[in-house]
């Protein structure tokens, strides 16, 4: 696909405007934005166990999102659409691939461009919305990844109800997943996924979540989570976050024979510009905690970080993290984060006492005012070491984003 992808997005969105100009909120509540994302990534592998010891790609992406309002009446109708375009800026046959997942490839290597366009219709009654078609999802049992050049998309229907204050309920059925570096409609090979669940904001400081999903021929997952925070003093805040999954394989068990549980618990202490977090995560049962056909961000766990998820069979992992907000020293928009994680006791085909560690460093700046307001630049560095997993590498990502809010 080429640059016409984004233009094609606007056509179906613009057609109803004149016909429905007097239909209340359809036009008045509509939003159309394009996010320009520039993404550079390299990985330098430090041993000879990988087929390629260095990978590097640089690309420009455009993410166009249109969201209409709803027509007037007891039942309101609307339409959402998304257009995605990725353009290769630099790579080479000796540097492509290697796990960067930035660009779509064919037999000749990384394509010059790739893209995808889709739409969804939606209907609203009271505070309940049914949406059918292409969607971006961020639920614990179905979360489309947005950590590369272009986001994943999934196709199906989702019912969202907010009839009770503080309570949000979801139910849905999905049949396709487009991978983040692919233009093919169901490159993620989802089969079919059913989900149900919700989250409840009990009060200002306490919330709870529970979801269940069933992925045909892969697995069933049950998720539970809770978040609590307390104001210890005027300038001191503590927060606890729990997340856990129970996974059971089913059908043809295309994801392998699974019968495992994984959970994480994190504690964060914040004061002024400083924030410190510690987290512990455990896997028990048979197999690794597995995801992918249900979205490459379906891993709502504390120790899922830049590279590793520390989700191997029987793995125990710890994390220590520190954040600093430079607004406290006169540089609003600039933030710093570093974390260190260590995993142990995980099982592989070679060992029952696997070990791994990862260190991440991130610096981000968001322009606060002027013509470049909301332009962000983020530099992320990761180092991962594990002789038991056969991976030792350093990684750098440089990500620049600029949102154009057209209306």
């Amino acid at each position: 696909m080429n640059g016409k992808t984004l233009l094609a997005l606007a056509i179906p969105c613009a057609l109803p405007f004149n016909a429905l100009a007097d239909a209340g909120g359809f036009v008045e509540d509509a939003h159309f934005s394009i996010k320009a994302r520039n993404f550079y990534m390299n990985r330098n592998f430090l041993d000879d166990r990988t087929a390629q010891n260095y990978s590097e790609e640089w690309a420009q992406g455009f993410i166009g999102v249109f969201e209409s309002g709803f027509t007037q009446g007891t039942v309101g109708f609307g339409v959402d659409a998304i257009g995605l375009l990725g353009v290769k800026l630099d790579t080479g046959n000796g540097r492509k691939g290697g796990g960067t997942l930035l660009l779509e490839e064919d037999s000749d290597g990384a394509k010059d461009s790739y893209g995808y366009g889709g739409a969804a219709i939606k209907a609203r009654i009271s505070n309940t919305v049914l949406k059918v078609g292409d969607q971006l999802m961020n639920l614990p049992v179905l979360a489309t990844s947005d950590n590369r050049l272009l986001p994943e998309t999934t196709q199906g229907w989702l019912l969202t109800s907010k009839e009770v204050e503080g309570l949000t309920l979801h139910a849905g059925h999905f049949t396709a997943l487009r991978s983040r570096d692919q233009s093919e409609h169901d490159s993620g090979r989802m089969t079919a996924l059913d989900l149900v669940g919700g989250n409840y904001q009990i009060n200002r400081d306490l919330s709870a979540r529970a979801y269940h999903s069933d992925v045909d021929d892969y697995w069933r997952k049950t998720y539970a989570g809770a978040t609590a925070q307390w104001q210890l003093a005027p300038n001191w805040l503590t927060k606890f976050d729990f997340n856990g999954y129970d996974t059971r394989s089913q059908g043809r068990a295309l994801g392998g024979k699974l019968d495992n549980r994984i959970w994480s618990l994190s504690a964060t202490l914040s004061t002024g510009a400083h924030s410190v977090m510690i987290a512990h995560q455990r896997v028990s049962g048979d197999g690794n905690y597995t995801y992918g056909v249900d979205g490459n961000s379906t891993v709502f766990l504390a120790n899922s970080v830049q590279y590793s998820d520390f989700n191997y069979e029987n793995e125990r992992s710890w994390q220590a993290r520190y954040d600093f907000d430079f607004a406290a020293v006169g540089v609003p928009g600039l933030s710093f984060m570093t974390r260190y994680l260590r995993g142990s006791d995980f099982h592989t085909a070679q060992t029952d006492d696997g070990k791994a560690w990862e260190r991440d460093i991130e610096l981000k700046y968001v322009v606060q005012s002027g013509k470049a307001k909301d332009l962000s630049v983020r530099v992320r560095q990761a180092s991962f070491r594990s002789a038991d997993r056969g991976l030792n590498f350093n990684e750098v990502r440089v990500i620049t984003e600029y949102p154009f809010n057209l209306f």
Side-chain angles (χ1 to χ4, degrees):
M1 297 182 69
N2 52 36
K4 296 180 180 179
T5 302
L6 292 175
L7 295 177
L9 164 67
I11 294 174
C13 300
L15 287 177
F17 279 11
N18 292 333
L20 298 172
D22 60 346
F26 186 96
V27 176
E28 288 80 356
D29 295 333
H31 302 279
F32 184 25
S33 64
I34 298 176
K35 182 186 292 181
R37 175 181 292 167
N38 189 279
F39 206 122
Y40 168 82
M41 181 173 172
N42 73 52
R43 277 184 181 165
N44 183 17
F45 296 93
L46 304 178
D47 50 40
D48 298 327
R49 283 177 283 187
T50 55
Q52 181 177 314
N53 62 8
Y54 186 74
S55 60
E56 181 179 48
E57 290 186 321
W58 181 31
Q60 177 66 50
F62 298 94
I63 304 165
V65 176
F66 171 84
E67 295 178 311
S68 80
F70 291 92
T71 59
Q72 292 180 336
T74 302
V75 181
F77 294 94
V79 61
D80 294 347
I82 185 168
L84 307 173
L85 175 65
V87 179
K88 179 178 69 176
L89 297 179
D90 182 52
T91 189
N93 289 334
R95 295 177 286 131
K96 69 178 180 65
T100 60
L101 299 175
L102 284 191
L103 295 165
E104 186 172 34
E105 298 184 11
D106 57 21
S107 57
D108 296 323
K111 293 183 177 180
D112 291 336
S113 65
Y114 71 107
Y116 183 81
I121 59 173
K122 56 187 180 181
R124 181 182 67 187
I125 300 177
S126 183
N127 290 316
T128 298
V129 175
L130 174 65
K131 186 173 179 180
V132 182
D134 287 273
Q135 305 186 44
L136 304 174
M137 296 291 296
N138 189 36
L139 298 178
V141 291
L142 176 56
T144 51
S145 173
D146 192 22
N147 61 11
R148 292 295 194 276
L149 184 68
L150 301 178
E152 293 177 326
T153 61
T154 186
Q155 191 172 78
W157 62 262
L158 179 71
L159 186 70
T160 302
S161 178
K162 298 182 180 180
E163 301 295 338
V164 178
E165 183 178 359
L167 177 64
T168 302
L169 298 175
H170 295 103
H173 175 75
F174 295 84
T175 57
L177 178 74
R178 186 202 58 80
S179 299
R180 51 197 165 184
D181 61 336
Q182 301 288 321
S183 56
E184 184 183 344
H185 168 66
D186 189 28
S187 50
R189 297 179 176 85
M190 175 180 277
T191 64
L193 182 152
D194 295 293
L195 68 87
V196 63
N199 59 78
Y200 183 42
Q201 189 69 43
I202 300 169
N203 55 45
R204 187 188 67 174
D205 299 321
L206 181 62
S207 63
R209 311 168 291 277
Y211 286 86
H212 179 78
S213 68
D214 187 314
V215 186
D216 282 359
D217 290 328
Y218 281 90
W219 50 66
R220 295 189 301 272
K221 282 184 182 177
T222 301
Y223 164 87
T227 301
Q229 64 178 23
W230 286 275
Q231 192 78 41
L232 301 178
N235 201 36
W236 290 85
L237 181 69
T238 184
K239 177 180 176 182
F240 296 91
D241 193 45
F242 172 84
N243 296 275
Y245 291 89
D246 181 282
T247 305
R248 307 292 175 92
S249 59
Q250 65 175 357
R252 291 181 287 166
L254 297 178
K257 184 63 176 176
L258 304 175
D259 182 3
N260 61 55
R261 287 139 298 282
I262 184 171
W263 61 266
S264 68
L265 178 64
S266 66
T268 304
L269 181 64
S270 303
T271 179
H274 307 276
S275 178
V276 176
M277 184 190 82
I278 57 172
H280 180 56
Q281 184 170 298
R282 287 191 174 215
V283 185
S284 60
D286 298 325
N288 310 328
Y289 171 72
T290 307
Y291 59 96
V293 295
D294 50 1
N296 276 291
S297 286
T298 305
V299 52
F300 282 38
L301 295 162
N303 290 356
S304 174
V305 291
Q306 182 164 327
Y307 172 72
S308 182
D309 300 308
F310 293 88
N311 59 332
Y312 270 37
E313 181 176 291
N314 201 56
E315 187 161 15
R316 278 82 170 115
S317 57
W318 290 89
Q319 176 185 173
R321 169 173 170 160
Y322 172 73
D323 291 77
F324 182 76
D325 185 350
F326 282 84
V329 292
V331 190
L334 182 64
S335 60
F336 170 81
M337 182 278 297
T338 186
R339 60 192 167 206
Y340 178 81
L341 301 95
R342 179 173 290 276
S344 62
D345 301 324
F346 60 79
H347 298 173
T348 69
Q350 290 75 36
T351 181
D352 286 339
D353 188 27
K355 294 179 174 58
W357 64 262
E358 179 172 342
R359 182 195 63 236
D360 300 333
I361 301 171
E362 179 177 308
L363 190 67
K364 182 178 181 181
Y365 179 68
V366 180
V367 178
Q368 301 294 293
S369 61
K371 293 183 178 180
K373 187 177 185 296
D374 296 326
L375 170 69
S376 66
V377 180
R378 181 166 49 156
V379 180
R380 309 182 72 190
Q381 193 278 335
S383 297
F384 181 81
R385 303 288 187 271
S386 178
D388 300 305
R389 289 179 59 173
L391 281 174
N392 296 284
F393 67 85
N394 297 322
E395 174 185 284
V396 174
R397 306 181 189 185
V398 182
I399 308 161
T400 303
E401 291 186 343
Y402 186 66
F404 298 88
N405 296 310
L406 302 181
F407 58 81

